[in-house]
Amino acid sequence: MKKKVCILSIDGGGIRGILPGMVVKAIEEKIQSLTKDKNKRISDYIDLFAGTSTGGILSCLYLTPGKNQRPKFTAAEAVQLYLEYGDEIFHTSVWHKIKTAGGVRDEKYPATELEERLEEYFGNTNLSALLKPCVITAYNIRDRYAHFFRQQRAVINPDHDFPVKEVARATSAAPTYFECARVKSLNNKYYPLIDGGVFANNPSLCAYAEARIMDFEKPDGSTVSHPGAKDMFVISLSTGTTKQKYLYSEAKDYGMVQWIKPLIDIMMSGNSETVTYQLKQIWDTLEEEHKADFVRLNPDRGEASEDMDDGSKENLKKLAAAGEAFAKAEADQIEFIAKQLIAFN
């Protein structure tokens, strides 16, 4: 079978990152089952990772090197970051609530716990040391441009190399939730950045555009250069369906404060839906044999909360259960993805 560039893209969505995290866990386990090799990792089969916010953190976890340049974390261990520490990351003291007027005067959550966990998981690892190319999104609020953290560029230019913990902090600096990040490159250049979800909550199209200008060496020694859609296999994962409705009778009287939360919600889901539509249109123009090479999975949240910041232990369990239930319900699709990843490598 012809080798293809395999891309994994994961949306933003806060604590709902547990949902795609559980899906990737299922894909990795299916690959291990099919290859009869428990040491196989998702990063062995993906040529380019893309992630926004929580998806950016997951992507960095899959790509962090451990001993002998093998992935440090399994997909199951990656999602544990959320399951073990989600309640602490999205926790605020009574004093902080009073001081910030519930997030109106300042960020809703202190970033201390998040930063401690990123330090624990990523340590002193740099972007250039990640195991595969990636596109992690953020936005520069001072110079007003979309900032892409790219391992493939960091390898050749220290100006574009950063500690991974700062990459993860920047991509997850969601406005109103966490303080914006001020990250420093290895060449001591500073960048004021916020969550890439403000422009690319679904980074699949960013990954597609990045792949078009790259050369990819496959495990058999062959090279796929400047691939088109026919030469790609794209897996795009959302952080769950949202059913929140905003009624005209209420929204017509919203002021600035009332619109903040709906706007963030609509902006994120609207971008994700638009990018999915655009990529489907691209693949729908291809011959029938290629149309299945763009896969968008949108897990149902089950009984879990729609809120991106509900880190209660109860909600974490519900998200994990919903992700596991989705993977089981879509077992045929999970197996198809695993088989394609094996075949295209």
Side-chain angles (χ1 to χ4, degrees), residues 127-134 149-156:
L127 180 61
S128 59
L130 294 183
L131 297 171
K132 293 284 184 74
C134 63
F149 293 102
R150 293 177 283 183
Q151 178 267 3
Q152 56 275 25
R153 175 167 264 197
V155 167
I156 60 176

Side-chain angles (χ1 to χ4, degrees), residues 95-334:
W95 167 241
H96 188 81
K97 289 179 182 178
I98 295 172
K99 183 179 70 171
T100 65
V104 173
R105 294 181 184 149
D106 205 341
E107 70 276 359
K108 190 173 181 180
Y109 299 101
T112 307
E113 187 64 33
L114 173 62
E115 291 170 354
E116 287 180 358
R117 297 287 75 79
L118 297 179
E119 171 71 35
E120 175 186 340
Y121 275 75
F122 298 122
N124 295 320
T125 302
N126 292 326
L127 180 61
S128 59
L130 294 183
L131 297 171
K132 293 284 184 74
C134 63
V135 180
I136 310 297
T137 67
Y139 191 82
N140 188 311
I141 57 174
R142 180 190 61 205
D143 299 324
R144 296 303 299 271
Y145 66 85
H147 186 111
F148 299 105
F149 293 102
R150 293 177 283 183
Q151 178 267 3
Q152 56 275 25
R153 175 167 264 197
V155 167
I156 60 176
N157 189 341
D159 281 347
H160 299 280
D161 202 4
F162 299 80
V164 174
K165 61 189 175 187
E166 294 206 29
V167 173
R169 174 68 178 87
T171 193
S172 59
T176 76
Y177 291 95
F178 292 109
E179 181 181 343
C180 60
R182 186 170 184 258
V183 304
K184 184 173 70 172
S185 73
L186 296 194
N187 269 5
N188 296 317
K189 292 186 178 181
Y190 286 90
Y191 300 82
L193 303 174
I194 61 172
D195 193 323
V198 299
F199 73 95
N201 197 58
N202 177 351
S204 303
L205 196 54
C206 298
Y208 172 82
E210 183 72 13
R212 293 284 289 114
I213 62 172
M214 293 181 63
D215 298 323
F216 296 89
E217 185 173 339
K218 303 300 288 185
D220 65 355
S222 62
T223 300
V224 182
S225 298
H226 301 267
K230 291 181 180 180
D231 308 305
M232 298 183 195
F233 179 60
V234 179
I235 309 155
S236 177
L237 304 180
S238 87
T239 53
T241 54
T242 178
K243 301 172 184 176
Q244 176 65 50
K245 296 180 180 180
Y246 301 101
L247 303 178
Y248 169 76
S249 59
E250 298 173 359
K252 68 183 180 68
D253 295 319
Y254 282 176
M256 186 182 298
V257 173
Q258 291 95 331
W259 266 116
I260 291 175
K261 187 173 181 179
L263 274 178
I264 292 173
D265 178 35
I266 293 168
M267 175 183 64
M268 292 175 62
S269 61
N271 170 265
S272 293
E273 293 155 10
T274 301
V275 168
T276 299
Y277 168 79
Q278 291 166 330
L279 288 174
K280 280 185 176 179
Q281 291 296 95
I282 291 173
W283 262 266
D284 281 348
T285 66
L286 305 180
E287 294 86 351
E288 197 64 36
E289 63 183 292
H290 299 293
K291 290 183 179 180
D293 287 342
F294 173 68
V295 181
R296 173 68 170 175
L297 296 182
N298 194 22
D300 189 277
R301 292 179 296 97
E303 297 180 357
S305 169
E306 291 187 349
D307 293 338
M308 296 188 299
D309 60 338
D310 186 345
S312 65
K313 286 292 187 182
E314 181 182 2
N315 195 54
L316 298 181
K317 291 178 182 178
K318 289 179 178 178
L319 284 167
E324 186 174 6
F326 176 82
K328 287 182 178 178
E330 298 294 329
D332 290 345
Q333 185 76 291
I334 297 296

